[in-house]
Amino acid sequence: SGGARQPRAAPARGGGAMADDMPKTSSDGAVLLLAENALEKLKIADYDLEFSHRKGIEPFSRTYFAEPAPNAGNQWAMLISLVSWIMKQIGHDFAVDKYDDPNTSANKLMLALKQLNFEPDFPVSRLKQGYGLAVCQVLDFLASRLLKNRGFKFAEPVYPETDGFEEAEVDDADLGTTDVVDEAIESEDEDVLYTENLRSGSNRRMGVDGDGSADAHHGRDNANNGIMENEQSPEFMAGRGAPPGGG
């Protein structure tokens, strides 16, 4: 027809896993920390010599079992091989057949863990990934059992004895507070002196004396003028007598 073409419907998904169910790369800090703790415990148990060296493989990186590896099949094989070695070290029987598929191997591993009183809070399908939180929880649990089996115990941290918290002495010179205060006081004094000088100069121009009264100064000027006029009056001159040689 001549109408607008309708968009084609997306094809129905098959029986595969949905996108939300697919394993994702985990960069969660808790997973990385758990993986690192498990690996450190295995290093204490000399796994790098007794396991990695004897099998001719490189020791695992800190994030190897925390995130997916480029080769998923090899990552799963390394996990099963490492778990089998730990199980043997702690005297527990665990073996998988080389022809077992991942589902069968994961179920055997979950059964062996439950026999060791491991209480999983995840489905067995999480172990088939070969990486992630569930795998790191299993490795950390088994590494702790291995150290316990060998009589290893983590010592309690020892802190230095102190009578109490001591406050650090603060030098004013380091903070510069003394200089700042002194400069502020000096600046204030200069402002006051400048203001007083302005007021004194203004008073002198306006004829204001020390008592601050212009009227008083003007009154004194009038009194002085009156005295001078009185001295020049005839009455004043008569009182003083006629000057010598006068008629």
PDB file of all heavy atoms in Angstrom, residues 242-247:
ATOM      1  N   ALA A 242      47.925 113.876  79.545  1.00  0.00           N
ATOM      2  CA  ALA A 242      48.334 114.367  78.244  1.00  0.00           C
ATOM      3  C   ALA A 242      49.789 114.024  78.028  1.00  0.00           C
ATOM      4  O   ALA A 242      50.581 113.978  78.962  1.00  0.00           O
ATOM      5  CB  ALA A 242      48.138 115.894  78.163  1.00  0.00           C
ATOM      6  N   PRO A 243      50.139 113.765  76.800  1.00  0.00           N
ATOM      7  CA  PRO A 243      51.544 113.409  76.519  1.00  0.00           C
ATOM      8  C   PRO A 243      52.451 114.587  76.779  1.00  0.00           C
ATOM      9  O   PRO A 243      52.019 115.725  76.718  1.00  0.00           O
ATOM     10  CB  PRO A 243      51.480 113.010  75.037  1.00  0.00           C
ATOM     11  CG  PRO A 243      50.271 113.642  74.492  1.00  0.00           C
ATOM     12  CD  PRO A 243      49.310 113.767  75.583  1.00  0.00           C
ATOM     13  N   PRO A 244      53.704 114.361  77.039  1.00  0.00           N
ATOM     14  CA  PRO A 244      54.650 115.452  77.312  1.00  0.00           C
ATOM     15  C   PRO A 244      54.750 116.373  76.142  1.00  0.00           C
ATOM     16  O   PRO A 244      54.703 115.905  74.973  1.00  0.00           O
ATOM     17  CB  PRO A 244      55.968 114.730  77.599  1.00  0.00           C
ATOM     18  CG  PRO A 244      55.578 113.338  77.944  1.00  0.00           C
ATOM     19  CD  PRO A 244      54.337 113.046  77.186  1.00  0.00           C
ATOM     20  N   GLY A 245      54.874 117.699  76.429  1.00  0.00           N
ATOM     21  CA  GLY A 245      55.028 118.707  75.366  1.00  0.00           C
ATOM     22  C   GLY A 245      53.695 119.127  74.801  1.00  0.00           C
ATOM     23  O   GLY A 245      53.657 119.872  73.850  1.00  0.00           O
ATOM     24  N   GLY A 246      52.621 118.620  75.325  1.00  0.00           N
ATOM     25  CA  GLY A 246      51.322 118.963  74.795  1.00  0.00           C
ATOM     26  C   GLY A 246      50.916 120.366  75.247  1.00  0.00           C
ATOM     27  O   GLY A 246      51.359 120.868  76.235  1.00  0.00           O
ATOM     28  N   GLY A 247      49.975 121.067  74.519  1.00  0.00           N
ATOM     29  CA  GLY A 247      49.493 122.400  74.853  1.00  0.00           C
ATOM     30  C   GLY A 247      48.604 122.288  76.010  1.00  0.00           C
ATOM     31  O   GLY A 247      48.364 123.152  76.754  1.00  0.00           O
TER      32      GLY A 247
END
